[in-house]
Amino acid sequence: MQVPFSQSTPHSRRRVLKSGAVAVLSAAPSLLATAGLPPALAPGSVILFQGDSITDAGRDKLQSPPNLATALGRGYAMLAAAQLLEEHPRLQLKIFNRGISGNKVPDLEARWQADCLDLKPAVVSVLIGVNDLWHKLNGKYDGTPEAYRDGFAALLQSTRAALPEVTLVVGEPFVLRCGAVNDSWFPEFETRRALAREVAKEAKALWVPFQEKFDEAVAAGTEPGYWAADGVHPSPAGHALMARAWRSVVGV
Amino acid sequence: MQVPFSQSTPHSRRRVLKSGAVAVLSAAPSLLATAGLPPALAPGSVILFQGDSITDAGRDKLQSPPNLATALGRGYAMLAAAQLLEEHPRLQLKIFNRGISGNKVPDLEARWQADCLDLKPAVVSVLIGVNDLWHKLNGKYDGTPEAYRDGFAALLQSTRAALPEVTLVVGEPFVLRCGAVNDSWFPEFETRRALAREVAKEAKALWVPFQEKFDEAVAAGTEPGYWAADGVHPSPAGHALMARAWRSVVGV
């Protein structure tokens, strides 16, 4: 496996296996408190991004083939996908984005067979949770934190059962303290965030610390709204931060 | 100027100036045969991407503010912009994409005042040329290579005259040998590519060797269509290759 450029990539801690597959290694082992074993990606492997509007990011839902710009949206999934496809042309990865705006855990459950299991992914990355609280604050939903935890855990469990070799990746639900995000979100958002981490750990999923990275950026003196004007939906800068965090953990 | 992340960026050969501005340094000096002096980017600087469909890449042309995902498209301009905005939050860069599908040099000339000079950019990146030949091959245009050279040179000259401190960036026109790109494109495409380089050199513009990078990728054994199915419009992988090349030359 060679990258066809003279410059090496920033994520080049790869281990080349006899099969020619590339081991998924973390560039930041300290982040992997909840990680499972590093898997190998065989040529033709499917990588699936799942979640809500943050993952969706304006993708064209009428387009179903992998690796299409319009089908990948304009967010972290597309940014990470474009980089992965560039750096690993011989792997012939098939990358799908199946995030849908407004989704909560029960919405993922309802479409999981078609929009996850049937795609036979080698890597499933899920970012879900902000609507599970936001819609509750808006009076449109009444799911408890425990329902979020149990539903999310069941989703990952069913994925592991159907696809024993799958690498699960869980993105940390996050908000920025601005825009639509006011005090009414807390402390319940923190509770749900901790539950997501617990779910990831139990499922032996890789954990992408989005909230931690955004908190670091704000602590360094930047405006929360620079990363997500409404506190929920990232700007291009915010999506780039997420893509970097995702890649440093998943490390393909 | 600090990047608010613990990990350093892959493009961190920066020089911090007293003003807090960041010098534009190349990570690959060998590419800079046609480069002018490295400029400094002051906070609030405008970066403008100009060109045809490759730059446009599906942007929403009804959106005019800088740094908007929908307004930046799904191509190399958006990929580079997202990374720049992430890595330099304190610079408060304003990044515009004003590429328009189908454009040739005369189309840029016709809208240059509104779509370039009025934005007062610190950096103007132009990728133009493929339609100047493609439309000729289709019988829709009759511009000669010399007209391309002279029009392109005049465009950059007028930009320098209006904005003496501007950093000009010229992207190498490129094609992949597949899809719509057949033998009828050659040798005229090579002639025009050489003229673009000449124009860039005379204008003291930074030169981004897109064709060279795609040629390297293909020489390494990858399929041309992996990078651009129709030979002209890059895939996400192709756009990521372009964004990497752009950033390694412009080196913000």
Side-chain angles (χ1 to χ4, degrees):
Chain A
M1 175 60 210
Q2 282 193 320
V3 176
F5 311 109
S6 51
Q7 68 255 60
S8 67
T9 75
H11 311 279
S12 52
R13 284 187 58 214
R14 292 181 307 243
R15 185 158 51 94
V16 178
L17 306 179
K18 278 182 188 165
S19 64
V22 175
V24 175
L25 295 175
S26 170
S30 65
L31 300 174
L32 290 179
T34 62
L37 292 172
L41 277 188
S45 289
V46 169
I47 296 178
L48 170 65
F49 288 92
Q50 263 290 7
D52 53 32
S53 56
I54 301 167
T55 304
D56 180 332
R59 72 181 177 91
D60 180 351
K61 295 175 193 65
L62 301 176
Q63 299 283 354
S64 59
N67 306 346
L68 272 190
T70 50
L72 289 168
R74 296 187 180 85
Y76 75 96
M78 191 274 250
L79 297 174
Q83 292 171 13
L84 289 170
L85 291 166
E86 183 216 348
E87 293 172 22
H88 301 293
R90 289 174 197 282
L91 272 186
Q92 297 286 331
L93 298 172
K94 296 183 179 73
I95 308 185
F96 295 92
N97 180 351
R98 288 287 188 269
I100 293 187
S101 194
N103 268 199
K104 303 178 294 296
V105 165
D107 303 304
L108 294 187
E109 284 171 353
R111 60 189 183 83
W112 207 243
Q113 184 67 42
D115 281 353
C116 175
L117 305 183
D118 288 354
L119 296 168
K120 302 201 188 327
V123 177
V124 177
S125 176
V126 189
L127 170 60
I128 198 78
V130 73
N131 294 315
D132 299 68
L133 175 57
W134 199 359
H135 292 194
K136 192 177 160 189
L137 295 173
N138 288 341
K140 294 190 287 187
Y141 182 62
D142 62 0
T144 62
E146 293 68 31
Y148 169 69
R149 178 195 62 200
D150 295 347
F152 199 176
L155 195 71
L156 297 186
Q157 211 162 29
S158 71
T159 313
R160 180 78 73 195
L163 308 162
E165 303 299 319
V166 74
T167 296
L168 296 171
V169 181
V170 171
E172 183 177 28
F174 64 89
V175 289
L176 281 293
R177 297 266 194 154
C178 58
V181 178
N182 55 32
D183 287 348
S184 72
W185 289 61
F186 303 95
E188 188 169 332
F189 188 78
E190 303 299 347
T191 303
R192 288 169 178 265
R193 198 158 64 81
L195 291 173
R197 187 172 182 119
E198 190 182 295
V199 166
K201 189 170 182 179
E202 281 169 15
K204 299 195 190 313
L206 298 170
W207 173 254
V208 187
F210 292 132
Q211 183 69 66
E212 185 181 316
K213 292 295 174 189
F214 281 119
D215 287 349
E216 284 174 19
V218 172
T222 60
E223 289 296 322
Y226 182 80
W227 305 102
D230 68 1
V232 172
H233 298 99
S235 62
H239 277 293
L241 178 152
M242 293 177 67
R244 182 196 296 276
W246 193 94
R247 294 214 57 201
S248 76
V249 170
V250 183
V252 180
Chain B
M1 176 60 208
Q2 283 193 320
V3 177
F5 311 108
S6 51
Q7 69 254 60
S8 68
T9 75
H11 310 279
S12 52
R13 284 188 57 213
R14 292 182 305 242
R15 184 159 52 93
V16 179
L17 305 180
K18 278 183 188 165
S19 64
V22 175
V24 176
L25 295 176
S26 171
S30 65
L31 300 173
L32 290 179
T34 61
L37 292 173
L41 277 187
S45 288
V46 169
I47 297 178
L48 171 64
F49 288 92
Q50 264 291 7
D52 53 33
S53 56
I54 302 166
T55 303
D56 181 332
R59 73 180 176 92
D60 180 350
K61 294 174 195 65
L62 301 177
Q63 299 284 354
S64 59
N67 306 347
L68 272 190
T70 50
L72 288 168
R74 294 186 182 85
Y76 76 95
M78 191 275 250
L79 297 175
Q83 292 171 15
L84 289 171
L85 292 166
E86 183 217 349
E87 294 173 22
H88 302 293
R90 290 175 197 282
L91 273 186
Q92 297 286 330
L93 298 172
K94 296 185 180 70
I95 309 185
F96 294 92
N97 180 351
R98 288 286 186 272
I100 293 187
S101 194
N103 269 198
K104 304 177 294 293
V105 165
D107 303 305
L108 294 186
E109 284 170 354
R111 60 188 182 85
W112 207 243
Q113 184 67 44
D115 281 355
C116 175
L117 305 184
D118 288 353
L119 296 169
K120 303 202 188 324
V123 177
V124 176
S125 176
V126 189
L127 170 59
I128 198 77
V130 72
N131 293 316
D132 299 69
L133 175 56
W134 199 359
H135 293 193
K136 191 177 161 189
L137 296 173
N138 288 341
K140 294 190 285 185
Y141 181 62
D142 63 1
T144 63
E146 292 68 31
Y148 168 68
R149 179 195 61 200
D150 295 346
F152 199 175
L155 195 70
L156 298 185
Q157 212 162 27
S158 71
T159 312
R160 180 77 73 194
L163 307 163
E165 303 298 320
V166 75
T167 297
L168 297 171
V169 181
V170 171
E172 183 177 28
F174 64 89
V175 289
L176 282 292
R177 297 267 194 153
C178 58
V181 177
N182 55 32
D183 288 347
S184 72
W185 288 61
F186 304 95
E188 188 169 333
F189 188 78
E190 303 298 348
T191 302
R192 288 169 179 264
R193 197 158 63 82
L195 291 173
R197 187 173 182 118
E198 192 183 293
V199 166
K201 189 172 182 178
E202 281 170 14
K204 299 197 190 310
L206 297 170
W207 173 254
V208 187
F210 292 133
Q211 183 71 65
E212 185 181 315
K213 292 296 174 188
F214 282 118
D215 286 350
E216 284 173 18
V218 172
T222 61
E223 289 296 323
Y226 182 81
W227 306 102
D230 68 1
V232 172
H233 298 98
S235 61
H239 277 293
L241 179 152
M242 293 177 67
R244 184 196 295 276
W246 194 94
R247 294 214 57 202
S248 76
V249 170
V250 183
V252 180

